[in-house]
Amino acid sequence: MRPKKTERKRLLKSAGYYVLTAALLITLSACDWDDSDSDKRTMRAAPNPFLSSSLYGITHFDSSQSDSTPYGPPAGTFTVDPEQQPISWGGPVNIITLAAVDPDYMWGVGTDHVAYVRMDDERWNTVAFLDAPAYMDPTLGPVSEETQRDFGQMDPAGMTIDEMDVYLVENFGTNYLFRLFNGAYSVVDRDNVLYANFGFGIYAFGLRDFRDPSRGIEVLRQIDNAADIQEAAGFMPPDSIRLFGLTLTYDGYLIVNFNNGIAVIDRDFDLSTARFYPFGLDESTTNSIAVDEDNGIYVASNKIMRKLVWTGDRISDLEADGAWSSPYDAPEDAVPPIVKFGTGTGSTPTLMGFGSDSDKLVVITDGSRRMKLVAFWRDAIPADFVQRPDTASRRIAGQMEVTCGFAAAPDWIQSEQSVVVDGYGAFVVNNIPENAEDSEIAGTNKLLAVSLMGPAYDTCYGVERFRWDTDEDRWVSVWSRPDVSSTSMIPVHSRSQHLAVVNGYTPERGWEVTGLDWDSGATVHQTIFGRQNFGNGAYAILQYLKNGDLVFNSIVGPFRVSYVN
C-alpha cells in the first residue's frame, strides 16, 4: 500500500532512504537518469522498446508525449532565407519527421505523402517518396512541387479570406480542409515500419530495400476502413468516424485513437486481435494519447480525462487494474473562434514524474475560455490528499489559470498544443488572438485561418512557464511573456540549451522561431524567416538534430537550417 504523502515526504528526508534510493538507481533500467535541470527532475520516461528510437519515434518525441529534446539551437539572432535551405516538399501540413531505425534517415509524413529523407552529415534530401494512398474526399490528391514552392514563396499580407480560400481551392482541392486529417500522429516501430492514417484507413509503410532506400516505399499492409477495427471488436461504429492518433504500447501493439474511442490491434493488422473502448455518446477527441511503461493509456476527450490500461488482451477501465476517469472543466459554450478544434482540451496528455520522482502526474490544459493547467494523479491518489476547491474531482492534483502575463485578461486564452514538460516544469502557449471573436477569420475553417493569422489578420500572443511544487501539491507560475507569439506550431523544450522554443509571427519581423530561457523567460535565440509562408509551421512541431540544426516542418515541407557556416 502506498504511504500517505506526508509519511512519504518524511521518509524522503531520511539519510537511509537516500542510500537505498541511490543503490536502486544504479541498477534501475526502466527509466533514464537526469539531474541537470532546475525543476528537480530525477528520472525520465522509460524508452518504449518497440519504437524506432527513444527520440522522435512518435509525434511528440516519446511515449510520454514530452515534446522535450536533448538538442537545440545556439544563442543569438539568425536571419535565414528559407528558399536557400534543403527541403523535402509536401503538405500543406507536415505533422512530423520521424526517426528511422537507420540514424542516417528520417521518415517524413505530410498530409499528401510519405517520404524517406537522408539526413546524415548536413544532407537533407528525399531519397524515396510515395503519394498519399487515400484521401477523405475525391476532390483531393497529390500536390505538385511547383504548387508547394509557389505557396511557400507567398506573402499573404493584405489577402482577404475570400482570396485565400479561392487560392487554396484552386491549388489544394475543393475540400482542402480534409487534408488536415491525413497523416496525423504517426509512429515508426523498431522494424522501421511507419504507421499512419490516410483517408479513412490505416497503413503500414516500409522500404522496398532497407539497404537501398532509393528503390522506394511500399504499402506493406492496410485497413482501408478503420471502422472495421471497431466492428471486429464487437462495436457498431457511427456513420462517420475519424482517426486522430496512432502510437504503440510497451508490448508492441498499435493503439488507434478515434474521435469516439480507442482501439488496440496487433501490428500485423489481424482484425481478430482488435479491442475497442468507446467514449460516451456525447464525447469526442481530436488529440493523441500518452502511454506509460505499464501500458497505462492516457486519453482526454472533450469532457473526460481517462487512464485506461492495456492488460495484454483487453482495454480495462477497472480501478483494480489501475484505471480511472475524471471530468475536467470544459464548458460546452466555450467554442474557440480560431485555431483550436472543438471544445474541451486542445492538449495531447503529457506525463510528468517517473521512477523515484515523488509525484506521478498527467497534465493537460482544460476547455475554459481562459484555460487552466491541470494535473491529475496518475496512479493512486495519496491517502491524505484533500480535494482542491473548484476542481471537478479528487483525481485532480492541482490546477491553475493561465494568464500569460496579460495586464488585462483577454476573453480567450486557449491552446491547441500539448503541454511541454521537462522534469516538473511545464510550458504552455496561447493560440487565440485578442478580440478573436470579432475577427473576420473567426469561424472559418482551420487551415484557412492558419494560412492568414499573422500576415493578414491579427496574430496571437502569450506564453507561460509553470513548475509543479511537489511539497505543496500545486502549480507555481515561474514566468510569462505576453509579447511572444506562438500561432499553431507545437512548441518544444531544448534540454541542451535550456530553452522553450516556439514558432510565431509578429508584424515587425514576420515568421520566426524564438528560444526563451527555461528559467527566466528571456529571449536567447531567434531564427527570423521573414514574411513568406515558408516560415509558417502550421499545426506541425519544431525539431532539432544532434548537431543543433533545426528541422522546420513548414506548411510546404520540412527544411533543414544549419547554424554553422
Side-chain angles (χ1 to χ4, degrees):
M1 179 179 295
R2 186 185 187 192
K4 291 185 178 182
K5 189 158 188 180
T6 51
E7 176 65 11
R8 288 189 289 116
K9 287 177 178 175
R10 185 188 66 78
L11 290 172
L12 281 169
K13 294 178 181 178
S14 71
Y17 182 88
Y18 281 118
V19 171
L20 177 60
T21 299
L24 288 172
L25 290 177
I26 291 172
T27 58
L28 189 62
S29 60
C31 299
D32 294 331
W33 169 263
D34 178 21
D35 61 356
S36 60
D37 68 74
S38 60
D39 288 305
K40 300 182 181 179
R41 152 114 21 227
T42 57
M43 305 291 284
R44 294 199 180 279
N48 188 327
F50 283 89
L51 290 178
S52 60
S53 172
S54 60
L55 177 68
Y56 300 153
I58 193 171
T59 301
H60 290 283
F61 297 176
D62 54 53
S63 293
S64 75
Q65 308 286 33
S66 70
D67 296 323
S68 180
T69 173
Y71 316 128
T77 299
F78 304 83
T79 300
V80 172
D81 181 357
E83 288 195 72
Q84 302 305 310
Q85 314 310 309
I87 189 168
S88 178
W89 299 100
V93 176
N94 298 277
I95 298 298
I96 186 69
T97 301
L98 299 140
V101 171
D102 185 335
D104 291 341
Y105 293 89
M106 297 186 85
W107 286 96
V109 180
T111 50
D112 64 334
H113 77 285
V114 170
Y116 206 63
V117 182
R118 184 158 192 174
M119 47 77 68
D120 58 322
D121 299 322
E122 294 184 2
R123 279 182 281 205
W124 188 258
N125 59 290
T126 302
V127 297
F129 186 97
L130 184 69
D131 286 326
Y135 293 89
M136 295 186 69
D137 186 271
T139 69
L140 307 177
V143 180
S144 69
E145 179 180 319
E146 180 181 10
T147 296
Q148 301 283 12
R149 186 184 301 275
D150 289 345
F151 190 46
Q153 292 171 336
M154 175 191 291
D155 177 358
M159 289 187 74
T160 65
I161 295 171
D162 291 340
E163 288 170 343
M164 179 60 84
D165 186 48
V166 168
Y167 180 91
L168 292 173
V169 166
E170 290 178 347
N171 289 276
F172 295 98
T174 304
N175 291 313
Y176 59 83
L177 172 65
F178 288 164
R179 292 183 182 275
L180 282 177
F181 304 110
N182 263 4
Y185 302 117
S186 306
V187 61
V188 182
D189 74 9
R190 65 184 184 184
D191 300 320
N192 208 40
V193 176
L194 164 69
Y195 301 87
N197 65 294
F198 287 93
F200 293 96
I202 300 173
Y203 297 81
F205 301 93
L207 296 175
R208 295 184 185 276
D209 186 341
F210 183 81
R211 293 167 298 181
D212 183 8
S214 66
R215 294 189 60 189
I217 300 166
E218 62 180 340
V219 176
L220 302 176
R221 50 193 174 272
Q222 63 197 70
I223 299 175
D224 291 324
N225 187 349
D228 293 346
I229 296 175
Q230 297 188 18
E231 290 188 19
F235 181 83
M236 184 56 63
D239 292 337
S240 178
I241 61 172
R242 290 181 178 173
L243 300 170
F244 283 101
L246 298 171
T247 188
L248 294 176
T249 64
Y250 274 67
D251 57 352
Y253 282 82
L254 189 68
I255 307 175
V256 184
N257 191 29
F258 294 91
N259 62 311
N260 67 327
I262 68 164
V264 174
I265 188 171
D266 75 11
R267 288 176 292 147
D268 290 331
F269 293 176
D270 179 357
L271 288 174
S272 70
T273 68
R275 303 291 184 268
F276 181 70
Y277 183 90
F279 301 142
L281 294 178
D282 60 344
E283 294 179 69
S284 63
T285 186
T286 58
N287 297 291
S288 194
I289 51 187
V291 184
D292 67 27
E293 63 268 30
D294 297 317
N295 286 329
I297 300 171
Y298 302 85
V299 57
S301 76
N302 61 337
K303 297 175 182 291
I304 304 292
M305 177 71 219
R306 287 182 175 85
K307 176 185 179 181
L308 303 170
V309 177
W310 170 244
T311 66
D313 60 8
R314 61 189 173 87
I315 304 170
S316 174
D317 62 359
L318 299 178
E319 184 177 353
D321 291 321
W324 51 261
S325 67
S326 171
Y328 64 90
D329 292 342
E332 292 186 357
D333 62 350
V335 181
I338 190 172
V339 180
K340 186 169 175 282
F341 290 86
T343 59
T345 183
S347 299
T348 291
T350 307
L351 307 187
M352 174 182 277
F354 305 96
S356 61
D357 291 355
S358 58
D359 291 346
K360 311 295 195 307
L361 308 168
V362 56
V363 300
I364 60 171
T365 53
D366 73 9
S368 304
R369 284 175 175 257
R370 297 172 189 160
M371 65 185 181
K372 296 185 289 295
L373 180 60
V374 186
F376 302 82
W377 296 112
R378 207 160 78 223
D379 300 324
I381 301 172
D384 58 348
F385 178 74
V386 178
Q387 182 173 346
R388 299 295 187 236
D390 302 318
T391 57
S393 84
R394 187 168 172 262
R395 174 61 59 178
I396 295 175
Q399 62 185 29
M400 185 175 187
E401 186 172 287
V402 177
T403 70
C404 294
F406 291 116
D411 291 337
W412 287 91
I413 298 177
Q414 260 291 345
S415 179
E416 181 58 25
Q417 317 312 328
S418 61
V419 181
V420 178
V421 165
D422 185 67
Y424 284 114
F427 177 77
V428 299
V429 301
N430 170 45
N431 293 141
I432 312 295
E434 189 176 9
N435 303 318
E437 289 179 314
D438 298 327
S439 172
E440 293 179 27
I441 54 174
T444 59
N445 78 68
K446 304 304 180 184
L447 187 53
L448 177 59
V450 166
S451 299
L452 291 168
M453 192 177 80
Y457 294 90
D458 288 346
T459 191
C460 58
Y461 292 97
V463 303
E464 190 162 1
R465 228 277 273 162
F466 294 86
R467 175 178 57 83
W468 177 255
D469 186 327
T470 57
D471 293 327
E472 300 294 334
D473 293 337
R474 66 187 182 97
W475 290 113
V476 176
S477 179
V478 179
W479 53 262
S480 57
R481 288 284 301 271
D483 60 323
V484 171
S485 173
S486 179
T487 52
S488 69
M489 200 174 201
I490 302 166
V492 301
H493 169 260
S494 164
R495 300 200 290 273
S496 61
Q497 303 302 315
H498 213 53
L499 300 176
V501 192
V502 301
N503 167 237
Y505 187 97
T506 63
E508 297 80 16
R509 295 177 298 276
W511 294 105
E512 70 173 73
V513 171
T514 310
L516 309 170
D517 183 88
W518 189 249
D519 288 331
S520 70
T523 300
V524 175
H525 169 90
Q526 289 176 290
T527 296
I528 299 171
F529 294 130
R531 303 182 188 282
Q532 293 180 319
N533 278 336
F534 279 111
N536 185 350
Y539 289 116
I541 189 168
L542 289 158
Q543 287 176 271
Y544 290 92
L545 302 179
K546 189 173 184 178
N547 67 349
D549 283 4
L550 167 68
V551 175
F552 188 77
N553 290 296
S554 83
I555 201 169
V556 293
F559 59 84
R560 180 172 181 169
V561 176
S562 176
Y563 295 102
V564 179
N565 294 326

